[in-house]
Amino acid sequence: MEMIIVGILLLLIGLAGAPMFSIIGAIGLLAFNAAGTDTSALIIELYRLVDFPALIAIPLFTFAGYLLAESQAPRRLIRLAQTMFGWMPGGLAVVALFTTAIFTAFSGASGVTIIALGGLIYPALLKENYPERFSLGLMTTSGSLGLLFPPSLPIILYSIVSKVNIDQLFLAGLVPGILLLVILSIYSVRTAVKSRVPRHPFVWKNVLVALREAGWEAPLPVIVIGGIYGGIITATEAAAVTAFYVLVVEVFIRRDLKFFSDMPRVLRESMILVGAILVMLGAAMGVTSYLIDEQIPMKLFAIISQYVSSKLVFLVILNLFILVMNMVEIFSAIIIVVPIIVPVAMGYGVDPIHLGVIFLLNLEIGYMTPPLGLNLFLSSLRFEKQLTSVYRAVLPFFLLLLAVLLLITYFPALSLLLTKPAGLQ
Amino acid sequence: MNALRAFDRALTTVVNAFLMLSFAIMLGLAALQVFLRFFFHSGLLWGDVAARNLVIWVGFFGAYLATRENKHFRVDVLTRLVAPRIRSWLFAGTDLFAAVISYFLFQASLNFVRLGIDPDSVAFLQVPQTVIAMIVPIGFALILIQFLIRTAENVVAAIRRAPNEGDA
């Protein structure tokens, strides 16, 4: 009884806008007190974060992403891609899909793509005669596209929380991520052909000029994504290389950003995000260990398995649950929900890596799910459109992504094709 | 109020400096390790441990700044809907709640450093583990102080009927 009252109280305080980390911390303090454990054990759990090799990837990749977003690099990369692929039917739309996916992967998937690249790509799409509704839908989708590719922040966070090897998780996201891009590209080509979008001739000279401009940044996705997939560097090493490389290129070679005025600001802004995530993650470590000690996930599995016996039905219900959770706030969703559902899903025989891909794709879709998905608001703000017209524009993309989600859920092989059989570290 | 703001600015300047310093060392170490491994097939034995510990330092300094700029993750359905004055009161109340929790976490982490760590254990090089782990109580103390400042600011804003700057 007492517990229920305290629970409702915390829920109300949370709804009133208290920081999530304080709510999670309160739960941890109360749980350890009730179990008769000294609360310093809560901090022992928090300090275990030091033992996660992937942890350092969070500040390093976030810093690199913020630097890139503030520089002129996205502009140069889009120009290069356009000169290379503009000759294809639907060329610009396909270029937009791939470049925004890479940009989102690097910038931590916080919807910043829509703000940073929207002003660049959206008018270009309209100028090339793409339908307005299609262009709006594409831009809204782009805010979270690429979340399955390294080095996106949600993947790193998922791997830390679920204790799944990060390199394996990166590998698992490759095929589903590409499948997603291919299906959206086919849709884009079809739209372009139907609306008679003009095609541009391929000119070698333009490619060379654009290549010279973007020569410093163009190899970066290849090094990072290729290096990780090729097993040449680990994710944490890639983080160090990327942060260092981007810093040198954008500040000292390209000089888009000034060392004394821009650098401290970008560093501060990116570390504010990192700090907010880490303190929430730290507070949740104690709660998670308490839940495991009390065998809460196992008890939950025992209850659920009475009603749901099929693995597939469980996964479909899980999908719906995660979609709703993600509308609240995605980083909190990962930190709070993942430790509970991973053991439950393993009870059903779901591979934790496969579950990771399902979970992350759900996040991606959650961003653009009406009525509360973050991308919808950003898009409506950025392009000065009514929310309802954004809802309509995003619908075909939403349905395509949902179809891919079903495929990924139903065929674990799509995610596990490239990974080693043993999922746990 | 002016004295409080001056104190806030001074403290933030110090935290900023420590943030930049710890980030620079962390990035430098991490990059150096990759460089050493790639070109010399070696590395500093203590490098990875030191860099990982610095992540916690960077994280707490960042969390202090996140508190100051109201950037912690929170559910904002309610605060977005209400009038500015009520919003200020809500922020004052929830910030005070967060301050109380931060205080208990501060106490817990003091106990952690005193009792949870072997006083003779060394983290890396000659640096004792207890010194490295002091960032946890220091971090929660910083966050606690900042939440108290925010509470005061929000109460003042609520009484003056003006929404506090930065509370979007």
Side-chain angles (χ1 to χ4, degrees):
Chain A
M1 190 59 204
E2 217 173 80
M3 264 175 72
I4 297 174
I5 296 175
V6 172
I8 292 174
L9 213 59
L10 283 177
L11 191 72
L12 287 178
I13 297 172
L15 280 177
M20 288 302 280
F21 98 83
S22 65
I23 300 286
I24 300 172
I27 295 172
L29 288 166
L30 290 169
F32 277 60
N33 257 324
T37 321
D38 189 83
T39 47
S40 64
L42 200 64
I43 310 297
I44 295 181
E45 295 299 329
L46 178 151
Y47 212 72
R48 276 190 216 288
L49 281 179
V50 173
D51 300 330
F52 289 99
L55 190 72
I56 194 170
I58 295 181
L60 293 180
F61 273 133
T62 309
F63 174 65
Y66 269 66
L67 273 183
L68 279 175
E70 293 260 333
S71 74
Q72 297 293 319
R75 192 178 292 268
R76 293 193 283 264
L77 287 176
I78 290 173
R79 251 193 70 179
L80 173 65
Q82 214 174 338
T83 56
M84 284 166 74
F85 304 106
W87 56 270
M88 283 168 44
L92 179 62
V94 175
V95 162
L97 285 170
F98 279 78
T99 44
T100 54
I102 291 174
F103 186 77
T104 301
F106 272 88
S107 65
S110 43
V112 66
T113 310
I114 297 173
I115 306 289
L117 300 189
L120 222 61
I121 298 175
Y122 184 70
L125 284 169
L126 293 185
K127 213 173 92 189
E128 295 230 322
N129 222 11
Y130 286 92
E132 191 183 305
R133 197 189 281 184
F134 167 84
S135 311
L136 188 60
L138 187 139
M139 287 320 300
T140 310
T141 312
S142 77
S144 56
L145 203 60
L147 201 140
L148 286 173
F149 296 125
S152 95
L153 201 50
I155 309 190
I156 302 173
L157 202 56
Y158 183 95
S159 93
I160 290 176
V161 175
S162 68
K163 300 189 172 59
V164 166
N165 180 298
I166 184 170
D167 297 298
Q168 293 289 306
L169 201 58
F170 277 151
L171 280 175
L174 182 65
V175 176
I178 289 179
L179 180 68
L180 202 62
L181 281 177
V182 167
I183 287 179
L184 290 178
S185 297
I186 294 172
Y187 175 62
S188 303
V189 171
R190 210 193 71 135
T191 309
V193 172
K194 260 202 342 207
S195 350
R196 299 178 200 286
V197 171
R199 287 160 65 177
H200 303 280
F202 182 89
V203 184
W204 266 113
K205 211 182 108 200
N206 293 349
V207 177
L208 288 179
V209 170
L211 195 62
R212 197 155 39 214
E213 271 189 6
W216 283 104
E217 290 107 354
L220 195 59
V222 183
I223 295 171
V224 173
I225 300 180
I228 292 175
Y229 286 147
I232 302 163
I233 45 175
T234 65
T236 40
E237 288 173 332
V241 172
T242 307
F244 192 74
Y245 184 85
V246 169
L247 177 67
V248 170
V249 168
E250 303 307 340
V251 177
F252 296 108
I253 297 176
R254 276 279 162 204
R255 298 191 192 182
D256 286 353
L257 299 167
K258 293 191 188 69
F259 185 78
F260 287 108
S261 57
D262 295 322
M263 255 276 293
R265 178 176 53 81
V266 175
L267 179 62
R268 261 173 59 95
E269 277 168 20
S270 55
M271 289 313 115
I272 283 176
L273 174 64
V274 171
I277 290 178
L278 283 189
V279 75
M280 191 161 73
L281 186 61
M285 293 288 286
V287 178
T288 306
S289 85
Y290 172 80
L291 292 176
I292 306 283
D293 282 349
E294 294 289 311
Q295 304 201 310
I296 303 287
M298 282 352 275
K299 287 175 187 161
L300 194 65
F301 173 65
I303 297 170
I304 299 174
S305 59
Q306 280 176 358
Y307 300 97
V308 180
S309 57
S310 135
K311 173 174 157 184
L312 199 68
V313 176
F314 165 75
L315 283 176
V316 170
I317 296 173
L318 189 65
N319 277 331
L320 289 175
F321 171 72
I322 302 172
L323 263 182
V324 175
M325 267 307 294
N326 288 339
M327 279 197 273
V328 181
E329 205 288 308
I330 66 139
F331 290 115
S332 327
I334 296 180
I335 287 172
I336 297 167
V337 178
V338 169
I340 304 175
I341 63 156
V342 167
V344 175
M346 280 171 80
Y348 278 99
V350 179
D351 188 300
I353 290 182
H354 179 212
L355 184 72
V357 176
I358 293 177
F359 197 94
L360 292 163
L361 187 52
N362 256 304
L363 288 183
E364 198 164 327
I365 299 174
Y367 266 112
M368 52 188 279
T369 305
L372 290 177
L374 180 66
N375 284 355
L376 304 162
F377 290 99
L378 291 177
S379 207
S380 152
L381 269 173
R382 184 70 184 77
F383 307 116
E384 293 168 2
K385 292 278 184 278
Q386 293 271 315
L387 258 181
T388 41
S389 52
V390 180
Y391 292 166
R392 268 219 312 260
V394 90
L395 191 66
F397 293 89
F398 177 75
L399 292 176
L400 284 174
L401 259 67
L402 218 53
V404 174
L405 176 64
L406 288 179
L407 278 176
I408 302 292
T409 306
Y410 194 77
F411 297 107
L414 286 172
S415 316
L416 302 176
L417 211 60
L418 303 172
T419 62
K420 295 188 197 104
L424 287 172
Q425 267 173 346
Chain B
M1 223 36 215
N2 280 337
L4 191 65
R5 290 206 173 116
F7 170 72
D8 174 34
R9 270 198 298 273
L11 183 64
T12 305
T13 310
V14 175
V15 171
N16 260 329
F18 273 102
L19 170 68
M20 312 245 161
L21 190 67
S22 28
F23 184 89
I25 300 173
M26 181 185 77
L27 173 59
L29 271 177
L32 181 69
Q33 288 289 73
V34 180
F35 179 79
L36 289 178
R37 188 175 88 85
F38 254 74
F39 295 101
F40 300 99
H41 295 284
S42 71
L44 304 171
L45 271 176
W46 51 273
D48 287 343
V49 182
R52 284 213 299 270
N53 273 286
L54 278 168
V55 178
I56 308 287
W57 285 64
V58 168
F60 270 110
F61 295 137
Y64 165 86
L65 294 172
T67 312
R68 187 167 189 263
E69 303 198 1
N70 201 14
K71 291 273 176 65
H72 279 292
F73 293 101
R74 47 172 101 215
V75 179
D76 60 353
V77 238
L78 195 64
T79 44
R80 245 193 309 199
L81 292 175
V82 296
R85 191 179 179 189
I86 300 174
R87 186 189 306 152
S88 291
W89 280 118
L90 274 178
F91 273 134
T94 51
D95 283 348
L96 187 62
F97 171 80
V100 172
I101 300 301
S102 303
Y103 171 73
F104 283 117
L105 291 173
F106 163 68
Q107 257 199 341
S109 40
L110 267 188
N111 283 337
F112 159 70
V113 176
R114 270 208 305 255
L115 311 169
I117 302 175
D118 176 7
D120 297 327
S121 70
V122 170
F124 50 84
L125 296 181
Q126 299 295 318
V127 189
Q129 185 67 55
T130 43
V131 171
I132 298 296
M134 271 308 283
I135 186 58
V136 188
I138 292 173
F140 279 123
L142 285 172
I143 294 172
L144 163 64
I145 293 169
Q146 194 51 245
F147 269 123
L148 289 176
I149 296 175
R150 305 251 344 140
T151 309
E153 295 257 358
N154 277 310
V155 168
V156 171
I159 291 170
R160 284 191 191 150
R161 282 171 169 251
N164 198 352
E165 286 167 59
D167 295 342

